[in-house]
Amino acid sequence: MWQGVIPAVTSKFNEDDSLDFAEMRRCFALQIDAGVDGLIACGSLGEGPMLSHEERIGVLRTCIEVAGARPSLLTVAEASTRDACALAEKAARAGAAGLMVVPSTIYHSDHRETVAALRAIAAAGDLPIMIYSNRLAYRVDVTVEMMEELADDPRFVAVKESSDDIRRSTEIINRLGRRYDLFTGVDNLAFEALAVGAIGWVAGLCLAFPHETVAIYRLVKLGRHAEALSIYRWFRPLLDLDVSTYLVQNIKLAEALAIHSNERVRAPRMPLAGERRARAEQTILQAMATRPELPRLV
Amino acid sequence: MWQGVIPAVTSKFNEDDSLDFAEMRRCFALQIDAGVDGLIACGSLGEGPMLSHEERIGVLRTCIEVAGARPSLLTVAEASTRDACALAEKAARAGAAGLMVVPSTIYHSDHRETVAALRAIAAAGDLPIMIYSNRLAYRVDVTVEMMEELADDPRFVAVKESSDDIRRSTEIINRLGRRYDLFTGVDNLAFEALAVGAIGWVAGLCLAFPHETVAIYRLVKLGRHAEALSIYRWFRPLLDLDVSTYLVQNIKLAEALAIHSNERVRAPRMPLAGERRARAEQTILQAMATRPELPRLV
Amino acid sequence: MWQGVIPAVTSKFNEDDSLDFAEMRRCFALQIDAGVDGLIACGSLGEGPMLSHEERIGVLRTCIEVAGARPSLLTVAEASTRDACALAEKAARAGAAGLMVVPSTIYHSDHRETVAALRAIAAAGDLPIMIYSNRLAYRVDVTVEMMEELADDPRFVAVKESSDDIRRSTEIINRLGRRYDLFTGVDNLAFEALAVGAIGWVAGLCLAFPHETVAIYRLVKLGRHAEALSIYRWFRPLLDLDVSTYLVQNIKLAEALAIHSNERVRAPRMPLAGERRARAEQTILQAMATRPELPRLV
Amino acid sequence: MWQGVIPAVTSKFNEDDSLDFAEMRRCFALQIDAGVDGLIACGSLGEGPMLSHEERIGVLRTCIEVAGARPSLLTVAEASTRDACALAEKAARAGAAGLMVVPSTIYHSDHRETVAALRAIAAAGDLPIMIYSNRLAYRVDVTVEMMEELADDPRFVAVKESSDDIRRSTEIINRLGRRYDLFTGVDNLAFEALAVGAIGWVAGLCLAFPHETVAIYRLVKLGRHAEALSIYRWFRPLLDLDVSTYLVQNIKLAEALAIHSNERVRAPRMPLAGERRARAEQTILQAMATRPELPRLV
């Protein structure tokens, strides 16, 4: 159902901490213009848990407005299943093409509870779902066994594989073939994931470097591995910024430097400071100074 | 400011998933009658993140109503600092004696952000605060260095030490003396914590076994270590139920068996089932069958 | 200097626990006949720490005898640097083509100590060295920084990358280009490592399935990724047996079933039993029953 | 059979890396004079794995010579069970009062293998054994279940509990009563362990501060908890030096400063340097400058 590069967009704020829809429109459009295949609103990168439901629907509507025919998904990642279901319903009413769903964010649900939560959210939203399996960030693993169990509901169409273990991608394919659209959710494992058969990339640094991200994806799909690998190697120090506790601040700094956006975040987050900021900035500027020439691909 | 045994109460639900205030009143009163020194509403055990702010204030009001002159605290554990501040204000208006505060629940804030979040919440609620340091459950550690830094604000009066490392208690005392009321938040490290100088116990199994919990606390404070240790050894298999991903379900099962309450929880949580339930039930029944005689202590 | 598939051979025992050189000759020859590019004696798989120095030299000599012109390396993995140096000297005298060196096996040496130990062993043996970086098995990580530091000594020619994180391979290439021959040491990350630029594979399941291992390697090198990936997917449940506390017993069971060898190990190891054995056996038999047809490659 | 404070002594080296028996005699005598209850040779602190069997027997003989009627134990911690058995036999012939046994040091043996290794070593040495359970340093946990299983052999007389989790001590007592002499092996959990019922302390910082160590032990046993705790709080920054990858170097630095010994270690270990050394030195000097007055206890 879905494939390709789908960035998880950052939410943009005005100085008074309210949402800056104009800046979101501008930034999202840069993504679409570079050839991405959809947009995901209010994920970890989008500071979803810091936004009210109403605000999240606002970000989603902005995605839909900009992405047009390409799919716009809303992230559902709530502590309680009742809140998750309520948000899923609102997303459906707002016209989301699908949901990216974290089964539980605070409580570490077990197998039975994880499956039940996912089924309840699917029923509430009645939209196609990308299962977001991220045992590191949320400590709830959606295992291959659970994916197998959930396969009886056609609303579960895709998996965002963020276990941080590249082996998992092959395990999913070995067990389930092409039942799910397999996306990688880890920027600095993306080439490896595509090499073993993933068909999509929920991307982070793409927000600041969309052309490079799209180029890697397309080159791999064209079988031009060496060219893709060469860009990927240049990209790696940047991609590492996505696999960090500070991914939001890192990527907003990259957006500030590379696409002239800003670094505003919601508390408890603060913009990077000190040594950590200096290192991130150096990584970004160094990469910008050595940008590879990209092949024409369309 | 605070000391003694303060249970973190469970929230009670009706069959339709609404709050059961009558049952809460009954259960909280059992605690007060057994001699506990206060009540904490809507912590991890109280399924705080599954309740709306309004519901949480309802539970807090029930605590205040039952606890009378003894302190009733509300737990503040929100993803965003703005929500935490809003809840702190509501708690103050509702008459809370204080707040138990987790600085950040989803994002793993760094030193600077953790301190800033705690200061913001303190300013918003303007109530005495028990800092809840639990790096395991929330992955945000309030370190001894941060406690030292926060000591300039007299609203930070207590620490709930839940690092799962008993060494931390002595480190706090060595660094900060008696600046903070030191509570242990880990049931099965409680005797050890009291032995090295903690003056309070935020207790879990107390909900089903209040007399035994209070007896251990008072015996240690009276220097009757051997008697306290003897009860603690009997209590340990039960106390282990508090240090578990499934602590809410475990303790609600203990409440069902020991004080005739029920096991209803909010999704994604489900009551225990299968082998895990059988083991917990056996532990509880076995302990009930071998209850020690408690000394008169008043 | 080195490249290709180099199996880390298992040591073979008679019923009286002495080394069975005849069986080693037979098994090593199966590897050479299948086209491997060298042999490594007495690694983790070879139960090196369970063998006396004299026995280890015996295994090395058997490798040399069978491998002929292809390189035979001895593993050096000792608790004390003095023992490591003594073994390195013996290996040199016995005609080893090189050493695979673990800097420290019991003590978790720091940066300075790790580098010093590697330099001392290199000086003692005066042989080309494959640095074995395995922070999981030995808890001593040879980091990219250390590799950079050691690059001034031409005896350090290769790295066996066993960090269990596929990202490390690209980090080594990004930092050091082709200074070191980059080998993967993790069977179930081998395709991924070759895809990002590794030129060698220190292989385990190769001992029971040499033709399949060699085919994957050669297909990747020929740019025939899809064919390699197809074999790799079949191979994965077997390759997972290499990434286990019980890798020696797992692989000896595979050798027993696939090449009619035996499962004898030295204490404290015992052959697999019970459920764990049943699962490994099923994995092996299932893979044997579904062996893919291999393309002709020479 | 055993109880009290038993230091795990450091091995002393001459400038040429050979053993310095004179210095060992001097240092061991300081321990005995301060009232310790026995000596343990060649443990982690004694750099056992860096010494040949012959050297280890030499250290053991020195212990026996100095300790006289008090027990001298040799540590057995070998990769292969056959080497462990050989060392156990040598220790018995040399007159050891007992063995402190690590079941496996490199391979992470499972339940069945761990129990079998311990039984084989017990049979070989035919001496009383202190089971050394240290899942952190050796990644082989001797669980309470295994202790229960081994209880049928009267040669297993004691347990050195080094799980780093104070809860384990109560679990052993709850399951096995007083079947084993329960020693703590973690300096900075020692007061806590004695408070819950341990009867012995395999001590580290005791080597530099024997009087303080013995005082804490005896005060706890006399029920004078507050006095013991007061000394323990002073001692804690020092005791933390024992729970470190660098415990050998830390404690040898403490010995250099407090009892005028030296810091020589065997490679790959090197004496502390840089920031790490500065911090350890400051901790030691600070503690020496604030030594508490000790009560007369005999």
Side-chain angles (χ1 to χ4, degrees), chain B residues 249-257 263 272 277 280-281 284:
Chain B
Q249 295 97 319
N250 283 338
I251 288 177
K252 285 194 165 177
L253 178 59
E255 288 182 288
L257 294 170
E263 299 176 59
L272 296 177
R277 181 190 189 81
E281 196 169 286
I284 297 161

Side-chain angles (χ1 to χ4, degrees), chain C residues 4-7 25-39 66-67 70 203 205-219 235 259 291 294-298:
Chain C
V5 173
I6 306 190
R25 249 174 245 117
R26 184 183 77 82
C27 291
F28 300 173
L30 291 176
Q31 299 295 309
I32 296 298
D33 293 348
V36 305
D37 301 284
L39 298 174
V66 176
R70 300 178 214 200
L205 268 295
C206 184
L207 299 173
F209 298 91
H211 294 283
E212 289 81 359
T213 307
V214 169
I216 289 171
Y217 179 82
R218 292 191 184 166
L219 286 166
F235 210 0
I259 61 165
R291 272 185 141 137
L294 301 178
R296 292 196 162 271
L297 288 166
V298 187

Side-chain angles (χ1 to χ4, degrees), chain C residues 11-24 55 252 262-266, chain D residues 82:
Chain C
S11 300
K12 298 295 180 185
F13 302 102
N14 293 304
E15 283 191 20
D16 68 356
D17 206 31
S18 63
L19 287 171
D20 180 349
F21 290 102
E23 177 64 358
M24 285 192 268
E55 288 177 318
K252 285 194 164 177
N262 66 70
E263 297 177 59
R264 288 181 208 114
V265 286
R266 275 216 175 143
Chain D
R82 60 161 56 192

Side-chain angles (χ1 to χ4, degrees), chain B residues 144 167-176, chain D residues 236 240:
Chain B
V144 185
R167 299 172 181 99
R168 183 70 73 89
S169 293
T170 293
E171 287 157 19
I172 293 171
I173 291 170
N174 269 353
R175 185 84 76 91
L176 290 155
Chain D
R236 258 298 302 279
D240 291 352

Side-chain angles (χ1 to χ4, degrees), chain B residues 184-235:
Chain B
T184 177
V186 185
D187 263 16
N188 64 10
L189 290 175
F191 176 84
E192 292 86 343
L194 297 171
V196 297
I199 64 166
W201 178 358
V202 176
L205 268 295
C206 185
L207 299 173
F209 298 90
H211 294 284
E212 289 80 0
T213 307
V214 169
I216 290 171
Y217 179 81
R218 293 192 183 166
L219 286 166
V220 173
K221 289 302 150 191
L222 293 167
R224 292 159 65 176
H225 284 85
E227 289 165 86
L229 184 55
S230 170
I231 302 169
Y232 186 66
R233 284 178 180 160
W234 162 82
F235 211 1

